[in-house]
């Protein structure tokens, strides 16, 4: 696999990656630029890019209301910033504490759109639920990598995660409980899959 980026001198290969970090982690915009020149970095605080947003993009994301809306909320501005970023030739999209503010529908459409267009995603977050969005998971504490690997394997390390202040994602915790009582025979990382199994 091709190298995607480095975090704390550790190579992360070409796979969509969540960086779950504890609140003690400090960053500056400059610190994110080391990823590589093919990245576009989106943060809450950085200004909006001036890329044009096509009507097709507004329709695809069901955000046509933003075209003529006068009083934009902070979330509206964040959505516009993200939609504007899609009109770029950058191949790696880095979200830094951004996705957690978006509604579920917009977030899922965004991830699906980027994957279909062969873009790579790096999502820095403190929200354990967002670890379910992407394939690979890196857990960062005080600038040190504590764990990394496929999300299904890392999320089995409940004791380590709890020691760092994280509970398991709701669907994983629910699956664990149902498996313990013999209702299901494995842990699920996707709401739809678990619902389908329970309704059979």
């Amino acid at each position: 696999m091709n190298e995607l980026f480095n975090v704390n001198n550790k190579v992360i290969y070409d796979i969509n990656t969540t960086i779950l970090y504890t609140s003690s982690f400090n960053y500056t915009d400059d610190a994110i630029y080391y990823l590589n020149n093919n990245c576009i970095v989106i943060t809450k605080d950085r200004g909006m890019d001036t890329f044009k947003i096509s009507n097709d993009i507004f329709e695809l994301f069901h955000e046509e209301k933003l075209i003529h809306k006068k009083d934009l909320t902070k979330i509206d501005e964040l959505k516009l910033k993200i939609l504007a970023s899609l009109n770029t030739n950058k191949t790696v999209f880095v979200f830094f504490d951004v996705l957690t503010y978006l509604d579920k529908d917009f977030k899922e459409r965004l991830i699906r759109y980027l994957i279909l267009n062969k873009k790579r995603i790096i999502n820095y977050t403190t929200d354990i639920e967002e670890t379910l969005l992407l394939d690979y998971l890196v857990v960062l504490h005080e600038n040190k990598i504590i764990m990394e690997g496929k999300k299904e394997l890392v999320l089995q390390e409940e004791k380590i995660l709890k020691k760092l202040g994280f509970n398991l994602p709701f669907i994983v915790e629910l699956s664990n409980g149902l498996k313990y009582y013999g209702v299901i025979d494995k842990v699920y990382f996707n709401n739809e899959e678990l619902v389908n199994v329970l309704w059979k």
Side-chain angles (χ1 to χ4, degrees):
M1 285 193 292
N2 295 326
E3 292 184 10
L4 183 60
F5 70 104
N6 285 280
V7 56
N8 294 52
N9 296 319
K10 174 71 178 176
V11 173
I12 304 299
Y13 291 95
D14 194 4
I15 189 167
N16 294 317
T17 301
T18 301
I19 311 285
L20 179 68
Y21 69 94
T22 56
S23 56
S24 60
F25 178 67
N26 294 316
Y27 83 97
T28 64
D29 280 355
D30 289 342
I32 303 174
Y33 283 120
Y34 69 86
L35 294 173
N36 70 47
N37 291 330
N38 267 332
C39 291
I40 183 163
V41 179
I42 302 166
T43 72
K44 299 189 305 288
D45 305 322
R46 184 174 290 168
M48 191 185 305
D49 290 312
T50 56
F51 300 117
K52 180 176 172 52
I53 306 172
S54 70
N55 287 336
D56 289 344
I57 289 291
F58 278 117
E59 289 174 15
L60 183 63
F61 283 83
H62 296 174
E63 295 295 338
E64 298 94 329
K65 65 184 181 293
L66 294 178
I67 296 174
H68 302 295
K69 190 173 180 182
K70 291 181 181 178
D71 298 318
L72 296 172
T73 66
K74 293 288 185 187
I75 301 302
D76 291 336
E77 291 175 357
L78 187 56
K79 286 182 176 181
L80 286 171
K81 186 189 298 187
I82 290 168
L83 294 178
S85 74
L86 300 179
N87 190 20
T88 175
N89 59 3
K90 301 290 187 183
T91 59
V92 182
F93 281 68
V94 182
F95 300 100
F96 211 107
D97 278 334
V98 166
L99 299 187
T100 190
Y101 295 97
L102 303 173
D103 58 83
K104 183 175 182 282
D105 183 60
F106 187 95
K107 197 182 308 189
E108 289 177 352
R109 286 177 187 277
L110 175 63
I111 299 295
R112 193 161 53 244
Y113 177 89
L114 292 173
I115 290 173
L116 284 174
N117 285 276
K118 298 185 174 11
K119 307 291 186 182
R120 282 293 180 225
I121 305 163
I122 303 167
N123 181 36
Y124 282 80
T125 185
T126 56
D127 184 349
I128 192 72
E129 295 297 331
E130 288 182 23
T131 61
L132 300 178
L133 294 173
L134 304 174
D135 302 318
Y136 201 78
L137 176 56
V138 175
V139 180
L140 199 62
H141 175 62
E142 294 180 350
N143 292 343
K144 294 179 182 173
I145 294 177
I146 306 300
M147 295 184 289
E148 66 164 315
K150 290 186 176 179
K151 68 184 175 196
E152 293 86 355
L153 295 176
V154 175
L155 290 174
Q156 288 181 27
E157 300 295 338
E158 184 176 3
K159 287 183 181 178
I160 297 173
L161 289 168
K162 288 201 169 179
K163 190 172 181 181
L164 295 172
F166 297 110
N167 291 317
L168 291 176
F170 173 74
I171 196 69
V172 177
E173 199 147 25
L174 178 60
S175 288
N176 278 334
L178 293 171
K179 184 181 176 201
Y180 178 80
Y181 287 105
V183 177
I184 57 177
D185 58 3
K186 69 174 190 174
V187 175
Y188 287 85
F189 298 86
N190 177 287
N191 291 353
E192 288 75 18
E193 287 180 7
L194 178 58
V195 169
N196 287 338
V197 167
L198 292 175
W199 280 95
K200 280 184 178 177

